[in-house]
PDB file of all heavy atoms in Angstrom:
ATOM      1  N   CYS E  40     -24.222  11.398 163.350  1.00 90.00           N
ATOM      2  CA  CYS E  40     -23.208  10.461 163.757  1.00 90.00           C
ATOM      3  C   CYS E  40     -23.534   9.992 165.162  1.00 90.00           C
ATOM      4  O   CYS E  40     -24.107  10.686 166.028  1.00 90.00           O
ATOM      5  CB  CYS E  40     -21.887  11.204 163.821  1.00 90.00           C
ATOM      6  SG  CYS E  40     -21.181  11.659 162.240  1.00 90.00           S
ATOM      7  N   ARG E  42     -22.550   8.587 169.091  1.00 89.00           N
ATOM      8  CA  ARG E  42     -21.617   9.162 170.080  1.00 89.00           C
ATOM      9  C   ARG E  42     -20.529   8.092 170.408  1.00 89.00           C
ATOM     10  O   ARG E  42     -19.901   8.300 171.535  1.00 89.00           O
ATOM     11  CB  ARG E  42     -22.408   9.511 171.187  1.00 89.00           C
ATOM     12  CG  ARG E  42     -23.438  10.540 171.003  1.00 89.00           C
ATOM     13  CD  ARG E  42     -22.952  11.927 170.711  1.00 89.00           C
ATOM     14  NE  ARG E  42     -22.331  12.454 171.979  1.00 89.00           N
ATOM     15  CZ  ARG E  42     -21.658  13.539 171.977  1.00 89.00           C
ATOM     16  NH1 ARG E  42     -21.421  14.239 170.854  1.00 89.00           N
ATOM     17  NH2 ARG E  42     -21.204  14.072 173.096  1.00 89.00           N
ATOM     18  N   THR E  54      -9.037  16.566 167.143  1.00 96.00           N
ATOM     19  CA  THR E  54      -9.426  15.234 167.519  1.00 96.00           C
ATOM     20  C   THR E  54     -10.977  15.036 167.225  1.00 96.00           C
ATOM     21  O   THR E  54     -11.790  15.849 167.616  1.00 96.00           O
ATOM     22  CB  THR E  54      -9.282  14.885 169.052  1.00 96.00           C
ATOM     23  OG1 THR E  54      -7.842  15.109 169.286  1.00 96.00           O
ATOM     24  CG2 THR E  54      -9.691  13.481 169.367  1.00 96.00           C
ATOM     25  N   TYR E  55     -11.270  14.070 166.365  1.00 95.00           N
ATOM     26  CA  TYR E  55     -12.652  13.715 165.998  1.00 95.00           C
ATOM     27  C   TYR E  55     -13.063  12.553 166.791  1.00 95.00           C
ATOM     28  O   TYR E  55     -12.416  11.557 167.047  1.00 95.00           O
ATOM     29  CB  TYR E  55     -12.679  13.516 164.527  1.00 95.00           C
ATOM     30  CG  TYR E  55     -12.342  14.734 163.670  1.00 95.00           C
ATOM     31  CD1 TYR E  55     -11.083  14.927 163.385  1.00 95.00           C
ATOM     32  CD2 TYR E  55     -13.240  15.768 163.362  1.00 95.00           C
ATOM     33  CE1 TYR E  55     -10.676  16.100 162.668  1.00 95.00           C
ATOM     34  CE2 TYR E  55     -12.921  16.867 162.685  1.00 95.00           C
ATOM     35  CZ  TYR E  55     -11.584  17.009 162.303  1.00 95.00           C
ATOM     36  OH  TYR E  55     -11.250  18.197 161.730  1.00 95.00           O
ATOM     37  N   GLY E  56     -14.398  12.560 167.274  1.00 95.00           N
ATOM     38  CA  GLY E  56     -14.891  11.558 168.233  1.00 95.00           C
ATOM     39  C   GLY E  56     -14.829  10.235 167.618  1.00 95.00           C
ATOM     40  O   GLY E  56     -14.719   9.177 168.401  1.00 95.00           O
ATOM     41  N   ASN E  57     -15.140  10.040 166.308  1.00 95.00           N
ATOM     42  CA  ASN E  57     -15.149   8.810 165.763  1.00 95.00           C
ATOM     43  C   ASN E  57     -15.046   8.899 164.174  1.00 95.00           C
ATOM     44  O   ASN E  57     -14.886   9.942 163.656  1.00 95.00           O
ATOM     45  CB  ASN E  57     -16.409   7.927 166.098  1.00 95.00           C
ATOM     46  CG  ASN E  57     -17.665   8.788 165.819  1.00 95.00           C
ATOM     47  OD1 ASN E  57     -17.823   9.514 164.770  1.00 95.00           O
ATOM     48  ND2 ASN E  57     -18.715   8.726 166.687  1.00 95.00           N
ATOM     49  N   ALA E  60     -17.674  11.330 162.496  1.00 94.00           N
ATOM     50  CA  ALA E  60     -17.351  12.671 162.741  1.00 94.00           C
ATOM     51  C   ALA E  60     -16.212  13.143 161.876  1.00 94.00           C
ATOM     52  O   ALA E  60     -16.216  14.178 161.284  1.00 94.00           O
ATOM     53  CB  ALA E  60     -17.075  13.020 164.187  1.00 94.00           C
ATOM     54  N   MET E  85     -12.245  18.167 171.443  1.00 59.00           N
ATOM     55  CA  MET E  85     -12.687  17.017 170.667  1.00 59.00           C
ATOM     56  C   MET E  85     -13.877  17.487 169.905  1.00 59.00           C
ATOM     57  O   MET E  85     -14.872  18.112 170.384  1.00 59.00           O
ATOM     58  CB  MET E  85     -12.990  15.772 171.464  1.00 59.00           C
ATOM     59  CG  MET E  85     -13.330  14.603 170.615  1.00 59.00           C
ATOM     60  SD  MET E  85     -13.743  13.147 171.500  1.00 59.00           S
ATOM     61  CE  MET E  85     -12.095  12.730 172.187  1.00 59.00           C
ATOM     62  N   ARG E  86     -13.872  17.243 168.577  1.00 60.00           N
ATOM     63  CA  ARG E  86     -15.080  17.513 167.761  1.00 60.00           C
ATOM     64  C   ARG E  86     -15.870  16.309 167.586  1.00 60.00           C
ATOM     65  O   ARG E  86     -15.421  15.152 167.405  1.00 60.00           O
ATOM     66  CB  ARG E  86     -14.575  17.936 166.282  1.00 60.00           C
ATOM     67  CG  ARG E  86     -13.666  19.178 166.411  1.00 60.00           C
ATOM     68  CD  ARG E  86     -13.358  19.568 165.088  1.00 60.00           C
ATOM     69  NE  ARG E  86     -14.104  20.766 164.809  1.00 60.00           N
ATOM     70  CZ  ARG E  86     -13.980  21.543 163.809  1.00 60.00           C
ATOM     71  NH1 ARG E  86     -13.070  21.289 162.856  1.00 60.00           N
ATOM     72  NH2 ARG E  86     -14.773  22.613 163.575  1.00 60.00           N
ATOM     73  N   SER E  87     -17.171  16.400 167.749  1.00 53.00           N
ATOM     74  CA  SER E  87     -18.098  15.243 167.585  1.00 53.00           C
ATOM     75  C   SER E  87     -18.948  15.397 166.360  1.00 53.00           C
ATOM     76  O   SER E  87     -19.013  16.365 165.700  1.00 53.00           O
ATOM     77  CB  SER E  87     -18.989  15.090 168.785  1.00 53.00           C
ATOM     78  OG  SER E  87     -19.623  16.275 169.097  1.00 53.00           O
TER      79      SER E  87
END
Side-chain angles (χ1 to χ4, degrees):
C40 296
R42 303 286 291 169
T54 300
Y55 297 90
N57 54 37
M85 184 179 293
R86 302 183 103 171
S87 54

